[in-house]
């Protein structure tokens, strides 16, 4: 009986495919299982993987990858409607610029560049996250949210969803950090960067996600104001999301 409630689905072609269901909320309810999934990209799904997604009834994908990323690995399941919400990657280019300046790269550089990218989700890309919530309000579940690795852009989006539904910060952090357990880093990605730098880029840290919420506080005052003014989630919208995605 426990199999349908497995959080991580061990797919051959997507290492970080996880269910957001089951997390408790402050009012004693829980996020519905098998409605919202998060993943790395869907461009390498096997036939067996596709069969699992069909069985789950996944009908929508929200893809935060940039233009070149999407072109390099297209979702091969025509029955899934893909909604592109492009947040262009900035990290590798920023690190290469540091190298070009003659400065030796360190892990501190990598951490700071990652934090800058998370700040940019708020400062430059809030309209894409607002669009995601507009789709969630339209009820396109079961759905999957993904980017390339399913950890940064996806991680921020899922943290926002869980916050909106009333899940605690500690639980949100735990979900975010599960990427370090399940994501299989592509050994061919960014091979011109040192291994220790690639290790930082292929993982998640609490300091990364914290940078996004620091940007929210700086630009909007607090998270509740960001949800309302940045993402368009007033009381009615949040009540609708809770009715749709919570149980109990």
């Amino acid at each position: 009986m426990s199999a349908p409630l497995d959080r991580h689905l061990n797919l051959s072609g997507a290492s970080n495919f996880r269910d957001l269901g089951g997390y408790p909320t402050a009012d004693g309810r829980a996020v519905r299982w098998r409605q919202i999934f998060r993943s790395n990209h869907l461009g390498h799904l096997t036939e067996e993987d596709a069969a699992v997604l069909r069985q789950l009834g996944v009908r929508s994908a929200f893809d935060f990858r940039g233009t070149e990323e999407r072109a390099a690995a297209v979702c091969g399941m025509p029955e899934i409607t893909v909604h592109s919400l492009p947040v262009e990657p900035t990290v590798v280019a920023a690190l290469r610029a540091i190298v070009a300046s003659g400065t030796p790269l360190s892990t501190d550089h990598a951490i700071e560049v990652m934090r800058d990218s998370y700040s940019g989700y708020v400062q430059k890309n809030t309209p894409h996250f607002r669009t995601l919530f507009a789709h969630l309000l339209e009820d396109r579940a079961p759905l999957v949210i993904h980017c390339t690795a399913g950890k940064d852009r996806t991680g921020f989006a899922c943290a926002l969803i869980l916050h909106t539904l009333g899940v605690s910060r500690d639980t949100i952090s735990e979900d975010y950090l599960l990427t370090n357990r399940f994501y299989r880093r592509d050994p061919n990605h960014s091979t011109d960067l040192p291994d220790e730098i690639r290790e930082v880029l292929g993982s998640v840290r609490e300091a990364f996600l914290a940078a996004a919420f620091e940007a929210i506080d700086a630009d909007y005052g607090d998270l509740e104001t960001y949800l309302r003014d940045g993402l368009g989630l007033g009381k009615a919208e949040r009540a609708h999301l809770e009715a749709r995605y919570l149980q109990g």
Side-chain angles (χ1 to χ4, degrees):
M1 294 295 291
S2 63
L5 301 182
D6 287 344
R7 181 165 308 287
H8 176 249
L9 284 76
N10 190 25
L11 304 180
S12 297
S15 64
N16 205 15
F17 195 100
R18 308 184 337 239
D19 193 330
L20 285 188
Y23 289 127
T25 62
D27 63 3
R29 292 185 285 177
V31 180
R32 291 185 188 275
W33 286 98
R34 298 307 190 241
Q35 296 300 300
I36 302 175
F37 300 93
R38 55 174 297 174
S39 183
N40 54 325
H41 73 79
L42 307 180
H44 294 160
L45 296 177
T46 65
E47 281 299 322
E48 292 78 11
D49 296 338
V52 171
L53 267 62
R54 291 187 189 103
Q55 186 175 26
L56 293 170
V58 174
R59 58 188 178 128
S60 304
F62 297 94
D63 184 354
F64 282 103
R65 292 179 299 170
T67 303
E68 292 185 6
E69 294 172 288
R70 290 199 314 277
V74 177
C75 177
M77 294 184 63
E79 60 267 57
I80 294 180
T81 301
V82 178
H83 304 270
S84 178
L85 304 172
V87 176
E88 295 292 341
T90 60
V91 169
V92 173
L95 290 170
R96 287 173 177 160
I98 293 171
V99 172
S101 74
T103 302
L105 274 185
S106 69
T107 54
D108 286 345
H109 287 122
I111 291 168
E112 194 56 38
V113 167
M114 288 295 295
R115 281 178 49 82
D116 286 346
S117 73
Y118 274 72
S119 298
Y121 300 159
V122 177
Q123 297 163 345
K124 301 175 183 177
N125 293 285
T126 285
H128 294 306
F129 295 99
R130 185 181 183 118
T131 300
L132 171 66
F133 279 95
H135 284 300
L136 293 176
L137 286 164
E138 292 171 356
D139 187 10
R140 299 180 184 274
L143 59 91
V144 57
I145 298 163
H146 75 90
C147 48
T148 291
K151 68 185 192 71
D152 300 313
R153 292 162 288 190
T154 297
F156 178 57
C158 291
L160 291 175
I161 290 170
L162 294 176
H163 271 297
T164 300
L165 295 175
V167 175
S168 74
R169 283 185 178 268
D170 286 347
T171 300
I172 290 168
S173 179
E174 289 171 9
D175 177 77
Y176 172 75
L177 292 172
L178 282 177
T179 281
N180 290 335
R181 178 177 173 188
F182 293 118
Y183 176 55
R184 296 189 298 267
R185 184 161 54 94
D186 184 349
N188 297 315
H189 188 63
S190 303
T191 52
D192 60 324
L193 296 173
D195 286 346
E196 64 271 20
I197 302 300
R198 293 167 60 212
E199 185 65 34
V200 173
L201 304 192
S203 65
V204 290
R205 303 187 182 202
E206 290 184 1
F208 299 167
L209 189 59
F213 289 101
E214 289 163 12
I216 286 172
D217 290 343
D219 290 359
Y220 291 85
D222 56 41
L223 178 59
E224 292 301 309
T225 303
Y226 179 67
L227 295 179
R228 185 191 69 214
D229 297 348
L231 302 180
L233 301 175
K235 289 183 178 179
E237 289 81 11
R238 292 182 69 171
H240 182 84
L241 291 172
E242 289 172 4
R244 175 62 186 84
Y245 295 107
L246 296 182
Q247 61 187 12

